[in-house]
């Protein structure tokens, strides 16, 4: 038996470098019983064997060869991975803990995997990975994988309402800002989670500080879009005869903007008028972001922005800022254009003109100049 155990460990150590090759990874993952055998070694008596099995599985996962259903078919695999990811007492280095978390995040892609993870307490691990000062704070990949896993849990109606109880909302909201999370893809995952939760627990998101973070996200997105627009035109002029596509900075996808505006509306609908953090929203750049979005290329984004504008204009400080940012002229344009945005445009225009206070004259001048009827 001892000799068989040594042979297995020798084979495992040989397998680890092979699993890092894309071609070998697919062959290993598809070999009958291979993934199960690796998972069985995750709770081996020797830590070196556990870490070697983890390294092989991590390579399979990173290369896209490991499927969630394979993990779920291996009895006890998720529990063993959770034990490695938690590793009390520092027995597992942060990089290996992050590798275990990445594999667990892969399991969250599957509905059955999400059920097992929640039952085992895995959601707390994902939240811990996002906590400032935590053991995985310096592991950017772990933060990405944890955010993606929480986004999958938020997309699942069975668990969406539990994110507040897990403590997931404050770290997710914090990641909406580029200062906290420079990776736009991870910010989009955090936004997806926030948007889904906003349908069932808007009040908890407001308490977690989501409103100003959403304002910052919209403002930063419009700043990037404006820079991209300028760069694209500059490139087009400089290379008019080159017949190539002008370069431009990456911009938020239409779906991302729609998610942010929808979440913002859901949160505003759950907030008493007097409790709307107008100062924080203004500091986040909400007025200029909405004024820009009212001119967006896509009609559905303009319509969402009109509804948010109409809601925020009930607050005099926000109404004044929106007028100063030129929102009245864009609301008039929506009314004149008619179509599906007519009602939203009229509501936004009336709210701006009604609530602008001492700037009513300026708002009226904007409306007349824009051709308001």
């Amino acid at each position: 038996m001892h000799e068989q155990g040594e042979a297995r460990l020798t084979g495992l150590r040989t397998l680890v470098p092979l699993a890092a090759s894309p071609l070998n990874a697919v062959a290993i993952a598809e070999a009958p019983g291979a993934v199960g055998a690796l998972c069985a070694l995750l709770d081996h008596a020797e830590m070196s064997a556990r870490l070697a099995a983890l390294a092989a599985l991590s390579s399979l996962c990173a290369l896209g060869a490991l499927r969630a259903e394979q993990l779920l078919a291996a009895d006890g695999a998720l529990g063993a991975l959770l034990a490695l990811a938690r590793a009390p007492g520092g027995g597992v280095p942060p990089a290996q803990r992050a590798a275990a978390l990445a594999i667990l995040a892969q399991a969250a892609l599957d509905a059955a995997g999400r059920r097992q993870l929640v039952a085992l307490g895995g959601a707390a691990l994902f939240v811990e990975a996002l906590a400032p000062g935590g053991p995985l704070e310096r592991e950017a990949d772990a933060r990405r994988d944890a955010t993606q896993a929480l986004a999958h849990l938020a997309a699942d109606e069975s668990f969406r309402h539990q994110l507040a109880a897990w403590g997931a909302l404050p770290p997710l909201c914090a990641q909406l800002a580029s200062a906290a999370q420079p990776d736009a893809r991870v910010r989009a995952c955090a936004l997806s989670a926030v948007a889904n939760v906003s349908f069932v627990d808007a009040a908890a998101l407001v308490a977690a500080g989501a409103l100003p973070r959403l304002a910052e996200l919209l403002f930063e997105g419009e700043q990037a879009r404006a820079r991209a627009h300028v760069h694209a035109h500059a490139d087009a002029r400089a290379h008019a005869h080159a017949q190539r596509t002008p370069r431009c900075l990456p911009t938020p996808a239409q779906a991302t903007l729609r998610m942010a505006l929808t979440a913002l509306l859901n949160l505003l609908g759950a907030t008493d008028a007097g409790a709307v953090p107008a100062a924080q929203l203004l500091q986040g750049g909400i007025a200029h972001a909405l004024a820009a979005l009212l001119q967006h290329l896509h009609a559905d984004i303009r319509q969402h922005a009109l509804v948010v504008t109409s809601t925020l204009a009930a607050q005099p400080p926000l109404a004044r800022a929106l007028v100063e940012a030129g929102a009245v002229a864009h609301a008039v344009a929506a009314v004149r254009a008619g179509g599906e945005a007519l009602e939203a445009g009229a509501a936004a225009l009336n709210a701006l003109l009604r609530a602008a206070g001492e700037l009513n004259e300026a708002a009226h001048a904007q409306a007349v100049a824009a051709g308001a009827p």
Side-chain angles (χ1 to χ4, degrees):
M1 291 293 292
H2 176 72
E3 292 179 356
Q4 288 182 347
E6 285 298 318
R8 289 182 68 189
L9 293 181
T10 300
L12 173 61
R13 296 186 184 101
T14 303
L15 192 66
V16 171
L18 294 175
S21 161
L23 289 177
N24 290 333
V26 173
I28 293 169
E30 297 303 322
V35 170
L38 286 171
C39 289
L41 290 167
L42 289 172
D43 60 356
H44 193 276
E46 294 185 21
M47 178 61 78
S48 61
R50 279 181 264 170
L51 294 181
L54 174 62
L57 288 167
S58 176
S59 293
L60 299 184
C61 181
L63 293 169
L66 182 65
R67 300 191 308 276
E69 56 265 30
Q70 292 176 300
L71 284 173
L72 301 180
D75 188 38
L78 295 189
L81 286 165
L82 280 167
L84 288 170
R86 289 187 174 120
V92 179
Q96 279 69 40
R97 294 180 66 177
L101 189 147
I103 302 171
L104 290 165
Q106 178 78 5
L109 293 172
D110 183 270
R114 291 191 289 274
R115 289 193 293 272
Q116 285 194 36
L117 284 169
V118 171
L120 291 168
L125 173 68
F126 300 136
V127 175
E128 178 189 319
L130 301 181
L136 297 178
E137 183 180 25
R138 297 181 181 275
E139 301 292 330
D141 288 348
R143 294 174 64 82
R144 178 201 64 209
D145 294 328
T147 303
Q148 290 176 345
L150 288 171
H152 286 300
L153 287 166
D156 191 324
E157 293 183 357
S158 300
F159 304 112
R160 185 177 298 168
H161 62 286
Q162 296 186 43
L163 267 77
W166 294 334
L169 300 186
L172 284 171
C173 291
Q175 291 204 96
L176 296 177
S178 60
Q181 178 49 260
D183 191 328
R185 295 167 299 178
V186 180
R187 292 201 302 275
C189 282
L191 174 60
S192 172
V194 167
N196 277 315
V197 174
S198 74
F199 288 100
V200 298
D201 206 351
L205 282 169
V206 172
L211 278 171
R213 298 290 83 79
L214 288 168
E216 291 173 17
L217 184 148
L218 289 170
F219 180 72
E220 290 171 355
E222 280 311 300
Q223 290 289 94
R225 190 176 73 89
R227 290 194 299 270
H229 184 73
V230 170
H231 285 204
H233 278 277
D235 283 346
R237 288 194 300 270
H239 305 281
H241 303 293
Q243 294 187 351
R244 67 176 182 86
T245 303
R247 291 181 303 159
C248 63
L249 295 178
T251 59
Q254 183 183 358
T256 298
L257 287 173
R258 190 186 301 110
M259 276 196 298
L261 289 166
T262 300
L264 191 56
L265 269 175
N266 288 342
L267 268 56
L268 290 170
T271 307
D272 293 336
V276 173
Q280 293 180 12
L281 289 173
L282 290 172
Q283 187 176 0
I286 190 64
H288 291 283
L290 285 174
L293 288 170
L294 292 175
Q295 309 169 71
H296 199 275
L297 176 65
H298 296 283
D300 65 326
I301 298 298
R302 294 197 301 274
Q303 186 163 354
H304 275 74
L306 283 165
V307 177
V308 175
T309 298
S310 177
T311 303
L312 292 181
Q315 300 293 315
L318 291 165
R320 288 194 292 271
L322 287 163
V323 170
E324 290 172 345
V328 172
H330 307 316
V332 170
V335 172
R336 291 174 64 84
E340 294 182 0
L342 175 60
E343 183 177 349
L349 180 58
N350 289 335
L352 288 168
L353 292 174
R354 181 175 61 250
E358 64 269 19
L359 288 180
N360 264 342
E361 291 184 6
H364 181 70
Q366 280 189 39
V368 172

